[in-house]
Amino acid sequence: MKNAVGTTGLILNEPLLWKIGKKGRSGFSLPRRDIDLSPLDSALEGQGPDFPDLSEVDVVRHYTRLSTWNFGVDTGMYPLGSCTMKYNPKTNERQASLPGLAQAHPLLPPQLAQGTLKIMYDLERYLAEVTGLPAVTLQPAAGAQGELTGMLIFYAFHKRKHQKRSKILIPDTAHGTNPASAALCGYKSIPVNSNKEGILDPETVAGQMDEDTAGIMITNPNTLGLFEDNIRQVAAIVHAKGGLVYADGANMNAVMGIVNMADLGVDVLHLNLHKTFSTPHGGGGPGSGPVCVTREIEPFLPVPRVIRHEDQYRLSDDRPESIGKIHAFYGNFGIQIRAYAYILSMGADLKKASQFAVLSANYIKERLKGVYHLPYDKPCMHECVFTDKHQQQYKVTTLDIAKRLIDYGFHPPTIYFPLVVQGAIMVEPTETEPKENLDQLVDALISIAAEAAEKPERLRKAPVNPKVRRLDETTAARKPCLAG
Ligand SMILES: *Cc1c(COP(=O)(O)O)cnc(C)c1O
């Protein structure tokens, strides 16, 4: 524990505001009343909500102290697999808050919004360049909404051919939102098993693809952090039966500037700007899940589309085959600005970002294999998956290991996901962590593995350093106590 990042130092207690308040205290003062109380005042007296009476300093200290309990990418490494919790350059926040952009009203007529329309138009082109798919909509507000958009497009595509297909193939290594999005669109999702290498076998897909199947949704790289090496053959099989190929591109940070999705046979793909392109993920804030498609699919994209005519930009609804509107106005424009600024400032270095993301994950995989069980021992993309199999003999579980990492000052990785791996521990270091931090995380995990063998009971009690210890998560979920 000597070199752990975590600390047990000055951590202040923080009671609830109701416990701090004192009757009659106030955080403001109004001029003395120079009229009599009106009947309305007395009618309301004593009937208001039970707000605590607090001074300004009570309130400022309470919230400032609570803010120091937060953990985020600005505080330390956040190796949450599948989530891409990477550090994002602050300059992109600054560009998004420029008054001319942040205060642009979405109902401005196009002649007064040329700058914002140009940003959207150019960003679509940049994302087309990054993915290899030439037509893009920026409307969807999240990855999952991008998937829904894609499924609505699948439906419209088959409808144009007077076909009503009812099923979608979804590999067991797809992200969990994929079957949910397909179901929301009325499709029945058919699970496809991955092979022992953790990827799709063309023969398995060929056995399941038929003319009642609208297509396939492939997460690539998949949720095991592995590249779908057979995606071209899989796409050919699906296309031969008249189906479409959807790629979940939320993990684009592993393949930017390296993989052309159109060359792989992908027809429709979504990106998560709030993972790969400089918006923090996981805060529950607004997101953006642009959908990129081939020229053949372009007529189905949501309206309005941003059009350029002789250096003038405007919006067009004139798309008879469009699936309609997906989001109010044009999507979450603030997120689009961050992506635009990020891509412009990175340029060709986007490829380097992906290379570093992949290198970091493989470095962690190589240093930890043997210490933790590695179910798929082959080069990975941006994340790697271990299990608690070696620790089971000491009755130490993935949950214990994750909780103990908190004592070492790390946010735990993703655990028990992907579902195809029992006791999964999924680490995504991202491209923004220096080697020293990767080494600290690996050293902590090695030290925890040693503790598992020597003092397993210590792990079962972890975490012991933070203010909040091991929670009863089932009771917390079923009977939340919101009053503290
Ligand atoms: C995060 C993620 C999603 C879902 O994105 P949201 O914006 O949270 O809806 C979908 N697929 C993959 C592979 C992801 O990593």
Side-chain angles (χ1 to χ4, degrees), residues 22 88 129 168 170 174 309:
K22 274 245 165 65
N88 292 303
E129 175 90 21
I168 294 273
I170 304 191
H309 182 63

Side-chain angles (χ1 to χ4, degrees), residues 17 23-24 34 54 62 88 91 140 188 191 208 211 219 229 237 270 282 303 305 329 336 347 389 391 406 463 476 480:
L17 281 177
K23 200 87 208 126
D34 59 358
L54 299 157
H62 176 72
N88 292 303
T91 180
K188 184 170 163 20
Q208 289 180 280
E211 265 142 27
T219 302
D229 292 338
I237 290 162
H270 84 259
V303 284
R305 309 273 305 128
F329 302 114
Q336 298 168 22
K389 202 169 169 193
Q391 284 69 39
I406 298 173

Side-chain angles (χ1 to χ4, degrees), residues 29-143:
S29 57
L30 292 175
R32 190 178 298 278
R33 187 175 59 227
D34 59 358
I35 52 165
D36 291 338
L37 279 182
S38 73
L40 186 63
D41 287 343
S42 50
L44 284 175
E45 216 163 90
Q47 309 234 337
D50 176 27
F51 286 139
D53 294 10
L54 299 157
S55 68
E56 183 175 321
V57 73
D58 290 336
V59 175
V60 169
R61 289 206 176 133
H62 176 72
Y63 286 108
T64 306
R65 285 198 291 252
L66 283 187
S67 77
T68 66
W69 291 11
N70 263 342
F71 186 88
V73 277
D74 288 354
T75 328
M77 186 176 177
Y78 209 136
L80 202 61
S82 178
C83 287
T84 313
M85 302 297 287
K86 68 180 183 184
Y87 180 82
N88 292 303
K90 293 286 174 269
T91 180
N92 301 327
E93 297 294 317
R94 195 171 322 132
Q95 316 314 323
S97 58
L98 288 172
L101 296 175
Q103 291 168 21
H105 195 283
L107 289 176
L108 276 176
Q111 63 272 28
L112 297 180
Q114 287 295 299
T116 48
L117 292 175
K118 177 174 164 46
I119 286 178
M120 286 191 271
Y121 185 87
D122 285 349
L123 178 60
E124 288 183 5
R125 280 190 9 229
Y126 299 157
L127 296 177
E129 175 90 21
V130 170
T131 57
L133 290 156
V136 180
T137 175
L138 302 173
Q139 262 187 49

Side-chain angles (χ1 to χ4, degrees), residues 411-422:
H411 191 288
T414 294
I415 54 172
Y416 300 107
F417 180 85
L419 302 176
V420 279
V421 175
Q422 232 188 358

